[in-house]
């Protein structure tokens, strides 16, 4: 057990802090602990966005370092300054991994390896590796426990699985203080609008088509990002070193039902939904057994209905945030053009 009553007084390195979960986590930690110090190491790929952190950029408890987790000298230097690491940096979009898996292997697997190697050289209290429920693969019935074998389907999930098992190996082999989290699908503010909920919300706001893969019957377990942040904090403080913790909200919803709910909230017609060719190798359902993290005292505080409505409202009220990405980002447009061209 890490045995930290509080993260107050600690210096944390968060990798990928300019992304969706990372920026929510930085806000969460700064609100929760007055004497924390956070260093955010982010490469600012297409998914990293300093606008997510504009309101706290001058907070003396926060420091941004523009850099790559694969830069071993930089990583080792930063590790020497901190008490703990929360590793979020990754390539994260399944569809992109289907088009081109190279960056996924280089960042998610090799980048994580660089971090674990640096961890061998320094003395740090904990390293929380954020994996994903996708490492288990799909399952039609029942729930995955942390003991179940992993069986990833997409190049993204396989890259995350490689990093997940490296994290385990570095704990077993070198006794490094690593904990592993496997969260389900997050949603909330600042999520890059290529992912399902922000894509459908912002398309609906612009009266654009909502491209539903296949029949829309695939199921995801939706976890509000703030509940995930709270799980991260709790596992750091109370989790056992070397162990894996599933984090899900026990909130399984079919994609089509999520789409209907978004449209209802925005008072847009269902006719905006368009069935498009399915994702290759599309996992049908993810579902986690979360008894282990419940035993630490965690459970989601937000209902899906309220959190989805708050999330949709956030995108409605912050058009400048997502229009800047969708309108200007070449990478966003070229990605979608290529994706649909390849799916015909
Ligand atoms: P995201 O794509 O929004 O953000 C990823 C961040 O990592 C970006 O800021 C990007 O610039 C940064 N990054 C990428 N490569 C980097 C590199 N080489 N060096 C430094 N920074 C780099 O991702 P997210 O949705 O916030 O996910 C964060 C983590 O949580 C990922 O590891 C992901 O696999 C995991 N996860 C996400 C979800 C989800 O639903 N979003 C669920 C389970 C697990
Ligand atoms: O489960 C955790 C994972 O959740 C994370 O590890 C990933 O980083 C994150 O991207 C997410 O993966 P998914 O593939 O589940 O999320 P995505 O938002 O891409 O898709 C959610 C569901 O919606 C999935 O069944 C595919 C479907 N979908 C998605 C898009 C982008 C559509 O029907 N249409 C779309 O345009």
């Amino acid at each position: 057990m890490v045995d930290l009553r509080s993260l107050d007084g600690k210096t944390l390195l968060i990798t990928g802090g300019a992304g969706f979960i990372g920026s929510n986590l930085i806000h969460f930690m700064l609100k929760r602990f007055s004497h924390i110090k956070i260093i955010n190491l982010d490469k600012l790929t297409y998914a990293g966005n300093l606008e997510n952190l504009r309101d706290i950029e001058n907070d003396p408890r926060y420091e941004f370092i523009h850099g790559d987790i694969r830069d071993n000298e930089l990583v080792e230097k930063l590790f020497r300054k901190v008490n703990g690491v929360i590793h979020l940096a990754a390539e994260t979009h399944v569809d992109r991994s289907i088009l081109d898996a190279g960056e996924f292997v280089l960042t998610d697997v090799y980048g994580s390896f660089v971090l674990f190697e640096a961890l061998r050289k320094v003395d740090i209290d904990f390293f929380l590796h954020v994996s994903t429920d996708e490492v288990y693969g799909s399952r039609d019935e029942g729930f995955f426990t942390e003991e179940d074998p992993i069986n990833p389907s997409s190049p993204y999930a396989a890259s995350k699985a490689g990093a997940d098992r490296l994290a385990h190996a570095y704990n077993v082999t070198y006794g490094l203080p690593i904990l592993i989290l496997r969260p389900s699908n997050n949603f909330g503010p600042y999520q890059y609008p290529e992912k399902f909920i922000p894509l459908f919300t912002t398309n609906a706001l612009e009266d654009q088509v909502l491209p539903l893969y296949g029949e829309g019957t695939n199921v995801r377990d939706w976890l509000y990002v703030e509940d995930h942040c709270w799980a991260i904090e709790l596992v750091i403080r109370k989790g056992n070193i070397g162990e894996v913790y599933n984090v899900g909200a026990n909130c399984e919803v079919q994609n089509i039902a999520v789409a209907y709910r978004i449209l209802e909230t925005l008072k847009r017609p269902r006719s905006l939904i368009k069935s498009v060719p399915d994702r290759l190798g599309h996992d049908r359902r993810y579902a986690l057994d979360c008894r282990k993290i419940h035993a630490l005292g965690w459970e989601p505080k937000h209902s899906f209905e309220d959190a989805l409505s708050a999330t949709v409202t956030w995108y409605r009220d912050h058009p400048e945030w997502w229009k800047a990405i969708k309108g200007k980002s070449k990478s966003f447009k070229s990605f979608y053009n290529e994706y649909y061209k390849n799916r015909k």
Side-chain angles (χ1 to χ4, degrees):
M1 181 151 127
V2 183
D3 193 21
L4 290 171
R5 275 175 199 282
S6 161
L7 296 179
D8 252 327
K10 305 286 175 197
T11 301
L12 304 186
L13 176 68
I14 297 183
T15 70
F20 161 50
I21 297 173
S23 56
N24 277 283
L25 182 67
I26 291 170
H27 281 112
F28 175 89
M29 291 288 186
L30 291 177
K31 256 189 223 141
R32 204 157 152 66
F33 302 107
S34 3
H35 297 107
I36 200 163
K37 169 98 204 276
I38 292 177
I39 301 175
N40 170 17
L41 170 62
D42 199 295
K43 188 183 167 200
L44 299 182
T45 66
Y46 79 93
N49 187 352
L50 289 180
E51 287 307 317
N52 303 0
L53 297 158
R54 196 59 73 205
D55 54 332
I56 53 98
E57 67 182 352
N58 294 320
D59 190 314
R61 298 170 298 162
Y62 169 71
E63 185 183 354
F64 174 63
I65 307 284
H66 188 195
D68 195 321
I69 55 166
R70 292 170 290 191
D71 179 344
N72 53 343
E73 278 177 25
L74 172 64
V75 163
E76 205 182 309
K77 194 173 101 193
L78 292 174
F79 274 28
R80 295 196 185 282
K81 298 181 177 178
V82 301
N83 304 101
V85 178
I86 303 172
H87 174 35
L88 291 157
E91 288 295 329
T92 62
H93 192 41
V94 173
D95 294 331
R96 286 180 190 261
S97 81
I98 293 168
L99 272 179
D100 184 359
E103 272 306 309
F104 289 75
V105 177
L106 292 173
T107 298
D108 302 10
V109 186
Y110 179 74
S112 299
F113 157 78
V114 170
L115 299 180
F116 300 139
E117 276 295 307
L119 196 56
R120 291 178 63 190
K121 299 184 182 148
V122 297
D123 188 19
I124 280 181
D125 291 342
F126 66 88
F127 183 110
L128 182 77
H129 178 77
V130 180
S131 181
T132 171
D133 64 352
E134 296 204 12
V135 297
Y136 293 113
S138 187
R139 117 176 244 165
D140 288 344
E141 285 172 0
F143 300 88
F144 288 112
T145 73
E146 290 85 351
E147 306 307 319
D148 278 314
I150 59 172
N151 191 20
S153 315
S154 70
Y156 160 71
S159 304
K160 291 294 292 184
D164 179 308
R165 290 302 78 195
L166 269 181
H168 171 74
Y170 272 67
N171 165 260
V172 172
T173 308
Y174 305 110
L176 300 179
I178 299 174
L179 305 111
I180 299 172
L181 218 57
R182 292 185 184 150
S184 65
N185 281 66
N186 281 225
F187 67 104
Y190 301 118
Q191 187 168 29
Y192 194 84
E194 66 186 351
K195 303 281 168 61
F196 180 61
I197 288 180
L199 178 73
F200 274 37
T201 303
T202 57
N203 279 12
L205 283 164
E206 294 190 301
D207 292 311
Q208 300 285 322
V209 156
L210 314 190
L212 189 68
Y213 295 163
E215 302 299 309
T217 50
N218 299 66
V219 170
R220 296 293 182 265
D221 172 7
W222 291 102
L223 173 67
Y224 190 51
V225 65
E226 199 177 299
D227 284 325
H228 182 195
C229 295
W230 155 234
I232 288 174
E233 185 210 321
L234 200 77
V235 168
I236 289 171
R237 287 183 28 231
K238 297 194 174 165
N240 289 319
I241 295 292
E243 295 207 13
V244 177
Y245 293 89
N246 287 341
V247 195
N250 194 17
C251 172
E252 291 184 39
V253 194
Q254 287 195 340
N255 293 339
I256 189 146
V258 177
Y260 285 161
R261 213 173 258 280
I262 291 170
L263 290 169
E264 268 159 39
T265 309
L266 293 173
K267 301 193 176 22
R268 297 297 204 277
R270 289 186 177 184
S271 56
L272 282 178
I273 296 174
K274 183 181 173 210
S275 180
V276 297
D278 208 351
R279 173 184 278 175
L280 299 178
H282 195 173
D283 281 335
R284 214 192 74 71
R285 171 178 174 264
Y286 301 134
L288 296 174
D289 178 323
C290 296
R291 279 175 293 179
K292 209 167 152 186
I293 192 166
H294 291 164
L296 296 184
W298 179 88
E299 59 178 46
K301 291 177 180 169
H302 298 85
S303 75
F304 177 66
E305 293 70 24
D306 291 350
L308 182 65
S309 161
T311 299
V312 170
T313 306
W314 186 87
Y315 289 97
R316 191 197 63 202
D317 295 345
H318 293 83
E320 71 296 342
W321 183 86
W322 55 266
K323 282 192 177 174
I325 298 170
K326 287 181 96 166
K328 285 189 210 136
S329 169
K330 252 191 179 168
S331 68
F332 191 88
K333 281 195 176 143
S334 59
F335 162 65
Y336 276 99
N337 293 343
E338 206 181 333
Y339 189 68
Y340 284 114
K341 195 174 70 200
N342 285 323
R343 303 304 343 272
K344 273 177 197 154

